[in-house]
Amino acid sequence: MPDGAVKTEKKPVKKPVKKKDKYRQRQTEVIDAAAAVFAKKGYHGASTGDIAALLGIAQSSLYYYFKSKDEALEKVCLHGIKGYVERLQAIVAGDGSAEDKIRGAIHNHIEPVIFIPDYFRTFVGELRYLPENRRQKLNNMIAEYNALFEQILVDGIAEKTFTGSLDSHSTMLMLIAQCNTVPFWFGQFEQYSPAQLADMLADNFLQGALWRPN
Amino acid sequence: MPDGAVKTEKKPVKKPVKKKDKYRQRQTEVIDAAAAVFAKKGYHGASTGDIAALLGIAQSSLYYYFKSKDEALEKVCLHGIKGYVERLQAIVAGDGSAEDKIRGAIHNHIEPVIFIPDYFRTFVGELRYLPENRRQKLNNMIAEYNALFEQILVDGIAEKTFTGSLDSHSTMLMLIAQCNTVPFWFGQFEQYSPAQLADMLADNFLQGALWRPN
DNA sequence: TTATTTTTCGATAGACCTATTGAAAAATAA
DNA sequence: TTATTTTTCAATAGGTCTATCGAAAAATAA
């Protein structure tokens, strides 16, 4: 600005939303690809070049959508767990029986596992590779989720709907651990719908996978 | 050999065993360290430098005991599954009831998981990173193991000891998957012995982790 | 059209990692 | 002791990977 001209102050008043939406849509595609590659090769086994290749773009282009590989993993994990806590809160606050609630909780846990397996497998298997600072937030969400889950068991035991050989905390951990294994083997059960799978797991816990008929 | 002296043909007749034993003992320490590092950081997240650091030796020294990182992973996995098939064969061939056998199989599966957790975690979590050629042998062992496990369920259903909502193949896969999760959370259950843990898991399957008292 | 912004790209530095090599050190045998 | 074997080492070649940079291309606005 060699002369005294004042920069025109015409701010763009319209359509910033549309532009940001487009960016976010592309970013979602990028994170989808990251989830797929992380799930398949593991976080450390996956390179940013692998992610770019899946998208058909240059490796360096990825950094327009995230600023480090760590951040990509964080985004995948956050998306993997998104909505879990809120849905479980609604179930716990509902007025069904304890058995209804535990069945609802298992459905809540398993169905997204099946609909977004890449996100969930990454969340379950690769979260531990997130640096401590990024992992904090996710750990808090997990702690809250686990507490809600355990609350259902505590309530069910208190009102004598359930009896168990284990304490509620141990049972909660084992139950969630079993649900978390689902994306690693459900591919072998294509004859079952997600809801059926969830029902079967719930049955496993409520009455056993095997039982004596008499 | 400037003059015509013939090289003395005195082969060492004694103590080659001792020497080899010493080498093997050190090799076991090296593979132990590899198992610990693989279990903690994952195969791709672990470097040979990490393993050497744990042993307090130079990174290049490791290659006196294995000739590639892949081979180290293979050795860890083989040791992790060692004895599993043989013990399960003995259980299946025994003359206990189907319930005894399924309990025995769960004990067989879980106790080593707890005694050698680094090996087992590596076996469960990192086997998939073994190159195809090295994985073949292990896959065969797994297939044999799974078939034995399923045989117990098939027999129990045939003789009406068990009834289940799932087919025996699906049940086998889910049961093994649950057993495999043990090393990832059993640290939280230090009040229980391995045998108790195995009993509790068996109870989970036979009668449910939760059941209605009436 | 031209100007501006958004998106993608090629090139690359800097770091890390595996595996090899020949030699040094340590252990053992003679 | 000296000779031989076993074990460890430092140095490093050759490769891959992450993240950065300025420029090119594409999309959008004027």
Side-chain angles (χ1 to χ4, degrees):
Chain A
M1 264 189 268
D3 55 2
V6 176
K7 188 170 183 275
T8 311
E9 281 291 342
K10 244 205 179 144
K11 285 268 182 82
V13 188
K14 292 279 180 178
K15 327 235 175 158
V17 178
K18 249 188 187 169
K19 279 181 190 175
K20 199 158 204 173
D21 280 355
K22 199 179 169 197
Y23 174 82
R24 294 203 174 227
Q25 183 185 332
R26 184 64 169 147
Q27 189 180 51
T28 298
E29 293 170 14
V30 170
I31 298 300
D32 277 351
V37 175
F38 290 161
K40 183 176 179 187
K41 299 190 160 193
Y43 177 69
H44 288 298
S47 72
T48 51
D50 293 331
I51 300 170
L54 184 58
L55 290 162
I57 63 178
Q59 177 262 349
S60 59
S61 302
L62 295 177
Y63 286 78
Y64 186 61
Y65 297 100
F66 53 74
K67 69 189 216 306
S68 72
K69 198 183 165 191
D70 284 348
E71 189 183 280
L73 178 57
E74 186 185 19
K75 285 185 194 300
V76 171
C77 289
L78 282 169
H79 190 244
I81 202 180
K82 193 177 181 184
Y84 265 77
V85 173
E86 292 80 357
R87 294 196 305 270
L88 190 53
Q89 280 172 333
I91 289 167
V92 170
D95 56 1
S97 69
E99 180 176 338
D100 288 342
K101 287 183 182 179
I102 200 70
R103 284 185 181 275
I106 292 173
H107 275 260
N108 173 55
H109 197 105
I110 286 178
E111 295 199 18
V113 163
I114 289 167
F115 284 119
I116 51 170
D118 289 338
Y119 282 92
F120 200 83
R121 284 180 64 145
T122 301
F123 177 76
V124 171
E126 314 300 323
L127 174 61
R128 65 180 176 139
Y129 302 126
L130 254 193
E132 192 62 41
N133 53 324
R134 291 186 187 276
R135 209 166 49 212
Q136 204 58 49
K137 186 177 179 184
L138 283 152
N139 281 342
N140 292 341
M141 295 171 77
I142 292 171
E144 191 178 352
Y145 183 81
N146 287 3
L148 285 165
F149 219 114
E150 188 172 339
Q151 190 57 50
I152 299 175
L153 301 181
V154 169
D155 291 348
I157 291 170
E159 68 189 42
K160 308 256 208 276
T161 302
F162 300 140
T163 297
S165 58
L166 286 177
D167 62 287
S168 56
H169 188 69
S170 307
T171 304
M172 175 274 290
L173 287 174
M174 282 177 33
L175 188 44
I176 289 176
Q178 170 146 23
C179 289
N180 285 344
T181 69
V182 171
F184 296 95
W185 49 258
F186 88 95
Q188 318 216 23
F189 292 84
E190 279 162 14
Q191 69 269 34
Y192 301 121
S193 72
Q196 284 176 311
L197 260 183
D199 277 336
M200 293 179 328
L201 275 184
D203 285 344
N204 277 357
F205 271 89
L206 289 164
Q207 59 189 196
L210 309 170
W211 67 87
R212 280 150 294 183
N214 49 0
Chain B
M1 267 190 267
D3 58 0
V6 176
K7 187 169 183 277
T8 312
E9 282 290 341
K10 243 202 183 150
K11 283 269 182 81
V13 186
K14 291 277 175 179
K15 325 235 177 159
V17 178
K18 250 190 188 169
K19 280 184 189 173
K20 199 158 204 173
D21 279 356
K22 199 181 170 196
Y23 173 81
R24 293 201 175 228
Q25 183 185 333
R26 184 65 168 146
Q27 188 181 51
T28 297
E29 293 171 15
V30 169
I31 298 299
D32 277 350
V37 174
F38 290 160
K40 184 177 180 188
K41 299 192 160 192
Y43 177 68
H44 285 114
S47 72
T48 51
D50 293 330
I51 300 170
L54 183 59
L55 290 162
I57 63 176
Q59 178 262 350
S60 58
S61 302
L62 295 177
Y63 286 79
Y64 185 61
Y65 297 101
F66 52 76
K67 69 186 216 308
S68 73
K69 197 182 165 192
D70 283 348
E71 189 184 281
L73 177 58
E74 185 185 20
K75 284 185 195 299
V76 170
C77 289
L78 281 169
H79 189 244
I81 201 181
K82 193 178 181 183
Y84 265 77
V85 172
E86 292 80 357
R87 293 196 306 270
L88 190 53
Q89 280 171 333
I91 289 167
V92 169
D95 56 1
S97 69
E99 181 175 338
D100 288 342
K101 287 183 182 179
I102 200 70
R103 285 186 181 276
I106 292 172
H107 275 260
N108 174 54
H109 197 106
I110 285 178
E111 295 199 16
V113 164
I114 289 168
F115 285 118
I116 53 170
D118 289 337
Y119 282 92
F120 201 83
R121 285 179 63 144
T122 301
F123 176 76
V124 171
E126 314 300 323
L127 174 60
R128 64 179 176 140
Y129 302 125
L130 254 193
E132 191 62 41
N133 55 321
R134 292 188 188 276
R135 209 166 50 213
Q136 202 59 50
K137 186 177 179 184
L138 283 151
N139 281 342
N140 292 342
M141 294 170 78
I142 292 171
E144 190 177 353
Y145 183 81
N146 288 2
L148 284 165
F149 218 115
E150 189 173 338
Q151 190 58 51
I152 298 176
L153 301 181
V154 169
D155 290 348
I157 290 170
E159 68 189 42
K160 307 255 206 277
T161 302
F162 300 141
T163 297
S165 58
L166 285 178
D167 62 285
S168 57
H169 187 68
S170 306
T171 303
M172 174 273 290
L173 288 173
M174 282 177 33
L175 188 45
I176 289 176
Q178 171 146 25
C179 290
N180 285 344
T181 69
V182 171
F184 296 95
W185 49 258
F186 88 95
Q188 318 218 21
F189 293 84
E190 280 164 12
Q191 70 268 34
Y192 301 120
S193 71
Q196 283 175 312
L197 261 183
D199 277 335
M200 294 180 327
L201 275 184
D203 285 345
N204 277 357
F205 271 88
L206 289 165
Q207 60 189 196
L210 309 170
W211 67 86
R212 280 150 293 183
N214 50 357

